[in-house]
């Protein structure tokens, strides 16, 4: 869909009023602008208007934290270049002020700006009289999906929000109250159900339509909305019927018979044509990313393409290795016999001793990255890993260390790790180009795991286990199956944590499960590889990165973000509790 990716059309919608001109002048179209009226008469301009709405979608490859780049405020990783901003999220100090919410509350403003543009389309599309009925229905369905997408993201962050379904004029009442979460959820589901029949199938989304919103994407978004509603954060009375709706929506997706699990886990993140991929954002010829500090709102906004390769490559290859996976998260990757190898740490804060799981005889503490779930090596950069044809040297003095004698040493990892998932290892700093790998919003594995979770809550334990094992046993992963013994829900949560690591899901999952108070409050463990020049052996020192003094916390009020203080001051909106 090159039009969507390559063309960022700025439609200057304006009205021209003349009081004393001849009829000839009144009949002329302006030469330097496109009038609002002319847009809705021309199918090409309507196409471009919708394409530009795709460009408003947030993604997880922004330069700094923000949008859907959320891993640095979870227990997955530590963002070493933004700690001064993100500490407010990770250390329990979040407030509604613009400085504390600098990276994230721009989303509120961007979302409502996008919703306004979507409302403009929906209010005006009936003016088109040029036929093309099927195309108009499809474009309308795409706009409905996009509006539902932004509302789902808003309620996932803030709870119930104002449901703005039409544009305002000078006579409008701007004091729109917050709708309830349930009202927002029902609106989202209704919008998606209305859109699904008119959207393309995956088979039809080819050629110039490649990358357009499909039926599968709309069903996937509906699943996410229903899942969040059914989870403990919002389902406080544990109404099991809500999980029935999740299960039914998953089966609606599966019954399309358009998607299958990838046989190449590491490559699927570079290939939007992979059979597992359901919805994605392309970046073609979009190196020109732009960071915007709007003087009108004092928040961070992100536009354009990305260069996630430079931002996450190891410093030995000129990268920033921005987010450093935490040792406790690395420990969650099982050994090939299906058990977590490290259960915790003991001893002094600067020289911790791993507590080795006795059920992992295949784990070697002196070589901790062998005999592990293959997704560890696919997803994480670590000392000794093969990267671009060389062995990474993260020990002090090595090419990828923080030794001041090393090039780009200031970008060396502080925790001993980096994120590998989604990197294009053919990229190099010398190429002076951006990244063109897609941001994948949805893939089939996520919904297999959602279905497993729903089946667990509905009492269908064997069905839940079956769908987890479909993911674990596929080619390129080949992990042993789980069984029905013990805490099956914990096993499902664990699989979701590993399978979807660094894809933006963890922040939503830990919150909807109400697990974030514990999981996000754990102190950071780091690793230092130590190289012995005489024996050429590597040993590992584990330590609390911040001293292990309880710096991390996740108060109850952090389950929802504060509405931007500017919105509260100029309206009758009620702020979220605790802010």
């Amino acid at each position: 869909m090159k039009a969507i990716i390559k063309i960022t059309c700025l439609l200057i919608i304006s009205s021209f009023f003349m009081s004393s001109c001849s009829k000839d002048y009144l009949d002329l179209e302006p030469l330097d602008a496109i009038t609002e009226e002319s847009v809705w008469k021309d199918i090409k301009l309507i196409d471009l208007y919708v394409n530009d709405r795709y460009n408003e979608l947030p993604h997880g490859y922004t330069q700094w934290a923000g949008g859907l780049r959320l891993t640095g405020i979870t227990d997955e990783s530590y963002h070493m270049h933004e700690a001064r901003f993100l500490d407010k999220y990770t250390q329990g100090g979040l407030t509604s002020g613009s400085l504390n919410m600098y990276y994230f509350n721009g989303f509120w403003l961007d979302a409502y700006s996008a919703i306004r543009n979507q409302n403009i389309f929906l209010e005006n599309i009936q003016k088109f009289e040029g036929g093309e009925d099927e195309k108009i229905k499809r474009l309308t369905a795409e706009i409905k999906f996009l509006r539902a997408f932004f509302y789902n993201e808003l309620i996932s962050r803030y709870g119930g929000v104002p449901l703005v379904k039409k544009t305002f004029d000078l006579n409008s009442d701007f004091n729109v109250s917050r709708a309830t979460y349930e009202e927002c959820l029902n609106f989202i589901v209704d919008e998606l159900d209305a859109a699904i029949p008119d959207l393309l199938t995956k088979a039809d989304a080819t050629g110039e339509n490649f990358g357009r919103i499909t039926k599968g994407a709309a069903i996937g978004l509906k699943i996410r909305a229903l899942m969040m509603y059914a989870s403990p954060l919002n389902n406080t009375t544990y109404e099991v019927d809500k999980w029935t709706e999740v299960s039914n929506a998953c089966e609606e997706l599966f019954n399309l018979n358009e998607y299958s699990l990838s046989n190449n886990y590491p490559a699927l993140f570079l290939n939007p044509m992979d059979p597992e991929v359901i919805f994605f954002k392309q970046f073609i010829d979009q190196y020109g990313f732009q960071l915007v500090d709007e003087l009108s709102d004092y928040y961070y906004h992100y536009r354009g393409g990305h260069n996630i390769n430079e931002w996450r490559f190891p410093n030995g290859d000129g990268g920033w290795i921005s987010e450093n996976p935490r040792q406790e998260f690395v420990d969650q990757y099982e050994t090939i016999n299906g058990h977590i190898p490290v259960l915790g740490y003991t001893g002094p804060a600067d020289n911790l001793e791993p507590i080795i799981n006795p059920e992992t005889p295949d784990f070697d503490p002196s070589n901790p990255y062998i005999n592990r779930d293959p997704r560890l090596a696919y997803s994480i950069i670590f000392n000794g890993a093969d990267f671009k044809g060389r062995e990474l040297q993260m020990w002090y003095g090595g090419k990828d260390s923080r030794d001041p004698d090393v090039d780009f040493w200031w970008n060396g990892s502080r925790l001993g790790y980096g994120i590998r998932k989604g990197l294009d290892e053919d990229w190099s700093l010398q190429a002076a180009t951006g990244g063109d790998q897609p941001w994948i919003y949805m893939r089939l594995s996520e919904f297999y795991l959602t279905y497993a979770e729903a089946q667990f809550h509905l009492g269908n334990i064997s069905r839940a286990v079956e769908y987890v094992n479909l993911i674990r046993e596929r080619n390129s992963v080949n992990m042993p199956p789980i069984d029905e013994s013990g805490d099956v829900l914990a096993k499902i949560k664990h699989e979701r944590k590993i399978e979807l690591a660094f894809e933006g899901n963890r922040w939503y999952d830990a919150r909807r499960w109400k697990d974030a108070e514990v999981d996000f409050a754990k102190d950071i463990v780091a690793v230092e590889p130590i190289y012995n020049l005489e024996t050429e052996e590597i040993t590992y020192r584990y330590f609390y990165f911040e001293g292990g003094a309880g710096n991390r916390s996740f108060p109850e009020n952090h389950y929802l973000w504060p509405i931007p203080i500017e919105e509260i001051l100029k309206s009758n909106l009620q702020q979220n509790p605790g802010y």
Side-chain angles (χ1 to χ4, degrees), residues 26-63:
L26 287 172
D27 288 343
L28 289 176
E29 289 285 336
L31 298 179
D32 62 344
I34 301 171
T35 67
E36 180 177 5
E37 186 125 354
S38 64
V39 170
W40 310 112
K41 294 179 179 179
D42 187 328
I43 191 63
K44 292 182 180 178
L45 293 179
I46 291 171
D47 241 341
L48 291 174
Y49 188 89
V50 173
N51 290 351
D52 209 36
R53 306 288 68 79
Y54 278 75
N55 290 328
E56 293 168 335
L57 281 167
H59 59 84
Y61 284 161
T62 55
Q63 182 170 9

Side-chain angles (χ1 to χ4, degrees), residues 288-526:
F289 60 89
Q290 182 183 4
L291 308 178
V292 181
D293 284 303
E294 298 284 5
L295 295 179
S296 60
D297 62 49
Y298 306 104
Y299 291 109
Y300 163 83
H301 303 266
Y302 191 91
R303 307 284 188 268
H306 73 79
N307 194 7
I308 197 66
N309 300 309
E310 180 177 5
W311 303 332
R312 283 184 175 167
F313 261 40
N315 60 308
D317 288 286
W320 302 6
I321 205 163
S322 299
E323 292 109 331
N324 303 173
R326 297 165 53 158
Q327 180 64 51
E328 327 91 88
F329 193 81
V330 174
D331 292 338
Q332 292 296 302
Y333 286 84
E334 300 168 4
T335 61
I336 55 175
N337 75 356
H339 294 284
I340 295 172
V342 177
L343 303 178
Y345 292 86
T346 187
D350 62 350
N351 192 17
L352 298 169
E353 184 72 26
I355 302 171
I356 307 301
N357 185 346
E359 295 184 327
T360 56
D362 51 345
F363 177 66
D364 181 0
S366 65
N367 199 351
Y369 310 116
I370 63 169
N371 298 328
R372 302 290 291 274
D373 184 328
R375 290 171 293 187
L376 170 59
Y378 298 153
S379 304
I380 294 177
I381 289 168
F382 50 81
N383 183 72
D386 182 76
F387 189 87
K388 291 180 69 70
R390 69 180 183 86
E391 189 175 282
L392 294 180
Q393 302 172 339
M394 304 184 85
W395 38 268
Y396 191 82
K399 187 176 181 179
D400 307 288
S401 71
R402 295 185 63 84
D403 182 344
D405 292 332
V406 171
D407 290 340
F408 305 109
W409 67 269
W410 54 89
N411 283 331
S413 175
R414 290 182 176 273
L415 302 190
Y417 297 106
I419 295 175
R420 186 172 199 160
K421 180 183 280 188
L423 294 184
D424 179 1
E425 295 177 26
D426 290 334
W427 180 88
S428 71
L429 186 64
Q430 292 71 35
T433 59
D436 61 6
Q437 61 263 57
W439 172 255
I440 296 174
Y441 293 100
M442 303 175 191
R443 57 190 183 90
L444 187 60
S445 289
E446 173 190 339
F447 301 112
Y448 275 11
L449 290 167
T450 302
Y451 187 62
E453 190 174 341
Q455 295 312 303
F456 170 84
H457 288 290
L458 295 172
N460 303 322
I461 305 302
S462 61
R463 189 75 163 161
V465 166
E466 174 190 355
Y467 271 77
V468 172
N469 288 334
L470 288 173
I471 293 170
R472 292 174 63 87
E473 295 174 345
R474 72 191 189 274
N475 288 341
S476 75
V477 175
N478 303 116
M479 286 295 289
I482 66 168
D483 58 32
E484 299 180 31
S485 65
D487 190 341
V488 173
L489 181 59
K491 294 178 182 180
I492 294 169
K493 289 181 177 182
H494 178 267
E495 189 64 24
R496 194 173 177 98
K497 182 190 297 186
I498 298 302
E499 173 68 19
L500 304 176
F502 315 119
E503 297 178 43
N505 300 73
R506 179 65 181 157
W507 183 73
Y508 300 89
D509 283 343
R511 289 169 52 251
R512 69 179 178 86
W513 290 325
K514 294 294 295 284
D515 290 345
E517 292 168 76
V518 174
D519 291 350
F520 291 1
K522 295 176 180 176
D523 290 305
I524 296 175
V525 178

Side-chain angles (χ1 to χ4, degrees), residues 40-41 125-131:
W40 310 112
K41 294 179 179 179
I125 191 58
Q126 72 276 6
K127 296 177 182 178
F128 180 69
E129 298 177 347

Side-chain angles (χ1 to χ4, degrees), residues 169-184:
D169 58 33
L170 293 177
N171 297 316
S172 298
D173 181 2
F174 292 90
N175 281 319
V176 181
S177 299
R178 296 177 66 173
T180 66
Y181 191 98
E182 185 172 12
E183 288 169 339
C184 294

